[in-house]
Amino acid sequence: MDTIIKNGLVVTADGRFEASVGIKDGAIAGIFEPGLEPAAAEVIDAKGLAILPGVIDMHSHHREGSLPGFEYKDTIYTSTLQCAAGGVTTSVAMPNVTPPPNTLDLLEKQFAIYERDAVVDWNFNPAPTILEEVPGMAATGIAAFKFFMVVDTGRSYPHMPGIGVHDHGKILEIMQAAAAQDVPLMIHPHDQALMDVIEQEFWARGERDALAYAKAYAAHDGVIWETAIATLLRLQKAAGCHLHILHTQTAGSVQLIREAKARGQKVTCELNPWALFLGCEWAAIQRLGSYALSYWVPEKNVPGLWEGVRDGTIDIIATDHAPHTREEKEIGWTDGWKAHTGTPSTQFYLSMFLTAATEGKLPLERVVEATSTRPARLFRLDRKGEIKPGFDADLVLVDLDTEYEVRDEDVLSLVGWSPYAGRRFKGKPVRTILRGRTIYVDGKVVGEKGYGKQAVSTARHAHKAAAE
């Protein structure tokens, strides 16, 4: 045996138990009763710690593309440093980089940067906006496709041309193409026609700051979200694809998705930490302005969101990690439509949900399921997301009792700030292990550039083989 982790509390989606975990050749080789462990070259004492599967973040914006553009915010290397420190062992990126990958050639160029620089395992969700490119990209082992239903007004980023689709006929065509390739389709829901009307009303009144921006996107009880989701659900029924809805943030959206699942539709969704720990507090938006946006989630939605996470209607938790510089946020005090939207969170989001478990808002086992096991199963990531023999030895050791304060000086992102600075969370990753190798310990990332590998799906490989 290469490594034995002993004296820890193993926590899975199904329960928790005292056990030792054996690792050999990068994989979990056995689960042993305390005192019955075999000899090993390395012994890690996890006394007082919980042993969780490494976190799988299905939605992160890593900023660096195959051409210069937005890597001043974060690079693939610095993004994956944050992952390692936060207990994330697999991170899946989004296509709003320069250029946005929507062809096989651009996707392979993107892959090459990860192969060179990633500290953790990775995948990438390209944009399926060029239909003839869909089969080739599907064959590369991608986790999903992704597009946005958004048109940016007042700025050209982060929702640039090449990744946005708003025409319902085009959406149906893309859904059919994704279904034909058996690849999940992630969609950022948004009703642009309604937003055009809503924001013009704000502008006519001279309201353009970050608070106006927040109110506009939440207007009429989140109508831009719920009408878009209702449309997507109906199109999914026609196309038969696996639809994965992003940014679930209203109680009405949860109910629409719950009803679709009850009808047997192949639909899943995710929740982002800003919806429950940041954007749901109007006082935080008043204090932080664009630094707190992503989006405002009026507080009446919060009980429905927690219920959706608990009962599994909301399948997974993913970050929507989206770093921007202070300069790109500061402009929001005068013009929220010019400020870049999104907030960084990868480094700290596991702690947020561990805190929620401590407070009784959801079981610890459900945290593991939503952040590790369910993402791996939904997106068919081979050998990921579980503590079982034969699975990759991707593990995070956490101290459930340690309480700490988020500080800007501890942020590993190039932007150097966190909207959660000053907040205290209980539950801290103390060691992250990727395929048997420690990549974070004693408060430092010790993983190396290029150690990360693509987390692929056996189902995708089977599909490719069948096509050949």
Side-chain angles (χ1 to χ4, degrees):
M1 200 70 64
D2 297 328
T3 304
I4 287 287
I5 305 172
K6 59 191 302 185
N7 299 324
L9 177 70
V10 175
V11 183
T12 72
D14 300 317
R16 62 188 84 179
F17 50 90
E18 301 267 346
S20 298
V21 179
I23 300 170
K24 185 173 178 60
D25 298 329
I28 295 171
I31 309 296
F32 305 98
E33 291 185 24
L36 299 180
E37 306 91 350
E42 176 189 34
V43 176
I44 297 173
D45 188 355
K47 185 175 178 59
L49 303 177
I51 305 170
L52 280 56
V55 172
I56 298 171
D57 181 9
M58 292 302 305
H59 185 160
S60 188
H61 298 272
H62 294 166
R63 300 305 184 212
E64 184 178 10
S66 54
L67 291 176
F70 306 107
E71 68 282 353
Y72 63 89
K73 303 171 189 274
D74 250 345
T75 63
I76 287 167
Y77 176 59
T78 59
S79 294
T80 55
L81 286 178
Q82 295 162 71
C83 291
V88 178
T89 52
T90 301
S91 185
V92 182
M94 300 292 114
N96 56 339
V97 294
T98 301
N102 59 1
T103 69
L104 178 59
D105 177 64
L106 290 173
L107 180 62
E108 289 177 338
K109 289 178 179 177
Q110 192 71 37
F111 280 4
I113 308 172
Y114 284 91
E115 291 167 353
R116 183 192 70 201
D117 288 348
V119 176
V120 303
D121 286 355
W122 52 271
N123 209 315
F124 195 95
N125 296 332
T129 50
I130 302 174
L131 292 179
E132 56 267 31
E133 293 285 342
V134 166
M137 292 191 292
T140 64
I142 57 171
F145 288 111
K146 157 77 179 287
F147 70 80
F148 303 76
M149 292 176 73
V150 186
V151 173
D152 276 326
T153 49
R155 59 177 182 251
S156 60
Y157 183 84
H159 310 116
M160 65 271 269
I163 59 174
V165 182
H166 323 287
D167 179 87
H168 295 173
K170 180 69 171 178
I171 292 173
L172 178 61
E173 286 183 320
I174 291 174
M175 284 184 170
Q176 290 170 333
Q181 298 301 319
D182 189 28
V183 178
L185 177 61
M186 294 183 172
I187 301 180
H188 175 135
H190 181 94
D191 192 314
Q192 188 61 45
L194 290 179
M195 195 64 218
D196 288 342
V197 172
I198 292 167
E199 65 188 7
Q200 289 293 337
E201 294 173 347
F202 279 84
W203 297 350
R205 296 192 296 267
E207 300 177 23
R208 290 197 69 111
D209 65 3
L211 304 189
Y213 183 91
K215 291 175 182 177
Y217 274 77
H220 307 297
D221 288 333
V223 67
I224 67 164
W225 308 108
E226 293 178 16
T227 56
I229 289 172
T231 298
L232 291 173
L233 291 173
R234 184 61 186 88
L235 292 176
Q236 184 282 332
K237 185 178 179 182
C241 65
H242 173 183
L243 169 65
H244 184 73
I245 295 171
L246 306 176
H247 306 311
T248 309
Q249 60 187 283
T250 71
S253 298
V254 175
Q255 187 57 31
L256 285 168
I257 295 165
R258 183 180 286 118
E259 292 168 356
K261 289 186 172 190
R263 292 191 296 268
Q265 289 184 240
K266 195 174 183 180
V267 56
T268 56
C269 68
E270 72 179 39
L271 176 133
N272 310 125
W274 49 258
L276 290 176
F277 297 94
L278 184 66
C280 60
E281 300 173 1
W282 182 248
I285 293 173
Q286 288 178 307
R287 178 171 58 88
L288 296 171
S290 293
Y291 287 98
L293 301 171
S294 300
Y295 304 102
W296 176 38
V297 179
E299 291 183 15
K300 70 177 187 177
N301 294 289
V302 172
L305 293 175
W306 278 117
E307 180 185 5
V309 174
R310 283 191 295 268
D311 70 16
T313 300
I314 296 174
D315 298 85
I316 69 170
I317 295 164
T319 59
D320 186 29
H321 173 76
H324 300 290
T325 64
R326 291 184 183 277
E327 291 77 12
E328 291 165 338
K329 289 294 190 180
E330 279 294 317
I331 195 172
W333 293 116
T334 55
D335 194 337
W337 274 264
K338 288 185 179 179
H340 291 185
T341 55
T343 55
S345 59
T346 291
Q347 192 173 338
F348 306 108
Y349 89 113
L350 176 58
S351 291
M352 299 179 202
F353 288 93
L354 294 176
T355 302
T358 298
E359 295 171 348
K361 292 178 179 176
L362 73 168
L364 183 57
E365 290 82 356
R366 176 64 183 133
V367 174
V368 169
E369 181 180 44
T371 60
S372 299
T373 307
R374 187 75 171 141
R377 290 177 180 175
L378 282 182
F379 296 94
R380 297 171 289 188
L381 300 179
D382 187 26
R383 295 167 34 119
K384 299 293 187 184
E386 301 190 51
I387 303 179
K388 290 182 178 178
F391 279 67
D392 284 353
D394 298 349
L395 304 165
V396 54
L397 278 56
V398 300
D399 187 334
L400 297 173
D401 297 320
T402 290
E403 184 175 319
Y404 70 101
E405 180 179 316
V406 175
R407 305 183 305 169
D408 284 339
E409 53 263 42
D410 296 327
V411 170
L412 297 176
S413 170
L414 292 179
V415 299
W417 63 272
S418 169
Y420 302 97
R423 298 277 295 273
R424 299 189 68 83
F425 298 117
K426 189 173 184 180
K428 184 175 177 58
V430 298
R431 183 188 289 259
T432 305
I433 297 170
L434 174 63
R435 286 179 280 108
R437 182 184 297 182
T438 293
I439 60 171
Y440 172 79
V441 68
D442 296 331
K444 296 181 180 179
V445 178
V446 295
E448 300 172 355
K449 275 188 176 185
Y451 181 64
K453 294 182 179 180
Q454 184 186 3
V456 298
S457 164
T458 51
R460 208 75 71 251
H461 285 311
H463 182 84
K464 180 181 179 182
E468 293 172 346

